[in-house]
Amino acid sequence: MFATVNYFIFYRFAGMPVKLLITGSVVYLVLANVSLIISVRIVFYNIVPKYNPIIFMQIGAIIEGLIFALIVGYKFNDIERKKRLAQIQLLNKSVEASELKVTALKAQMNPHFIFNVLNSINNFILKNEKELASDYLTKFAKLIRVTLKNSSQSTVSLKEELDTIRTYVNLEQLRIEDGFDLIINNNQNLDLNQIEIPPLSLQPYVENAIWHGLYSKEAEDKKIEISISSKLENTLNIIVKDNGIGREASSKLNLEVKKSFGTKITKERIKMIYPNSLVEIKDIYSSNNPSIVLGTKVSIIIHGLPNL
């Protein structure tokens, strides 16, 4: 009775090993009881069987042992199967990471952006603005050097990332009519040298803010604001906000602007290192008049940063 109750309890657990375990135990229990019944008949009724009753218990024990061996073999095979599966998944992840890295490098060295920069330098030279041409070329060379250097690294410090953004923005400011301002806020005085993020994680969002938001805006107070904070432990919040025309208006204008560093690739690169990260992009509307767009806001939330 005790064994039967246990069978009902264990049978609820899924998996072949449990079923085999119960089967082996039932076989042994049945044959052991057969042996017991025959022994009782010998003692009380003096009936001598043809075979020694203990043989039934031995047969039950052998069958149960074989079934247990089958369970052990099944478990070893299952462990090996899971091990091979994990190795295949790890290999696939490595291949995916390599492909993503190559794609990211190709995106970072976008020919469209390089052509425009070189064209701007050429215009400065033609206008005999040698100092501007030299300054522009120096900043461009610095950006290319940093891009190539960081392309071989999975992460860089947030300080390095922001320095790269400043260099990139300096190049783009000269190409936007009336220019625009870049504001970086670190109100909590976080140690940016200790925070690691994938290289050029912010650049595509800054570029979109420039060419999809500020480029077609007629007002002079054009600006991009990057705010860095940590509201929860080990969580980094980065807000990239502009006061441009918004995504909806930009799409209506059908601007032929290419994304140099691809926001989709950037999302995947962040998620590969920090799987629980979140990127959200939405337009900002006036609280007084919901039909008025005040700009676009990109929220990047990265969980699992060890130094926060």
Side-chain angles (χ1 to χ4, degrees), residues 83-93:
K83 184 179 177 181
R84 288 194 298 271
L85 183 62
Q87 290 173 338
I88 291 171
Q89 289 176 340
L90 181 61
L91 181 61
N92 289 338
K93 284 289 183 183

Side-chain angles (χ1 to χ4, degrees), residues 135-155:
D135 182 55
Y136 205 76
L137 184 60
T138 300
K139 290 174 181 176
F140 177 62
K142 181 182 177 182
L143 181 63
I144 294 296
R145 180 177 61 82
V146 171
T147 300
L148 292 174
K149 174 191 170 188
N150 291 344
S151 65
S152 63
Q153 302 178 19
S154 58
T155 61

